[in-house]
């Protein structure tokens, strides 16, 4: 298996520690938590999609992403321009791209609407599964996807974080 270096840094945020990973060219994941707690999960993911990972703490490679996230939490930024790459199945990538492209700041969409956007209206459950595996918390706005009844449902980081992010955006 090909060996790869993943560079990382951690940052404090109003919703807890965020872990940012880069392949040296682009951000490849933003996760809730610390590398020490997520290393096994991230190793499994990396082996599946890109290779055997070696994690290196390299804050300078992550600095611009951290700055954009900090600006978001200070209500100074509503969209992100950091370079990122999706690593996942082709279906997951299609869903994640739709989230990024089609849900504006302060807007929400249902899982059904996302399924329709990607041209697969019967794939509501599969869309939910892909949304749950979104590798770019906050930047790819899976927190803006809600249930058909308008309720907050499912969020990989926890519903408390989803609720915080939606309220945070609503106060701009």
């Amino acid at each position: 298996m090909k060996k790869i270096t993943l560079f990382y840094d951690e940052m404090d945020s109003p919703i807890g520690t965020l872990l940012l990973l880069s392949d040296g060219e682009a951000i490849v994941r933003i996760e809730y938590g610390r590398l020490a707690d997520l290393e096994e999960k991230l190793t499994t993911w990396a082996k599946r999609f890109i290779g055997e990972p070696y994690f290196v703490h390299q804050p300078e490679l992550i600095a611009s992403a951290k700055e954009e996230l900090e600006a978001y939490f200070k209500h100074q930024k509503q969209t992100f321009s950091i370079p990122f790459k999706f690593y996942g199945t082709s279906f997951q990538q299609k869903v994640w791209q739709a989230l990024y492209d089609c849900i504006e700041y302060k807007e929400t969409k249902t899982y059904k609407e996302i399924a329709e956007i990607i041209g697969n209206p019967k794939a509501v459950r599969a869309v939910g599964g892909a949304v749950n595996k979104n590798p770019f918390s906050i930047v790819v706005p899976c927190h803006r996807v809600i249930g058909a009844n308008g309720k907050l449902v499912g969020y990989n980081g926890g519903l408390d974080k989803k609720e915080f992010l939606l309220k945070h955006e609503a106060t701009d």
Side-chain angles (χ1 to χ4, degrees), residues 68-107:
E68 287 199 29
L69 285 164
E70 287 167 352
Y72 167 85
F73 284 116
K74 292 177 183 173
H75 297 280
Q76 297 168 344
K77 188 165 205 49
Q78 296 179 353
T79 59
F80 296 91
S81 60
I82 55 174
F84 60 87
K85 290 182 198 169
F86 290 131
Y87 289 101
T89 67
S90 58
F91 181 81
Q92 289 170 335
Q93 290 181 38
K94 193 174 191 179
V95 170
W96 301 332
Q97 193 66 53
L99 299 179
Y100 186 75
D101 292 341
C102 301
I103 308 178
E104 298 293 325
Y105 191 78
K106 293 187 178 188
E107 181 182 49

Side-chain angles (χ1 to χ4, degrees), residues 108-113 145-154:
T108 58
K109 293 215 181 285
T110 66
Y111 294 93
K112 182 178 171 118
E113 288 173 312
V145 183
I146 60 173
N149 60 4
K151 294 197 177 190
L152 302 187
V153 294

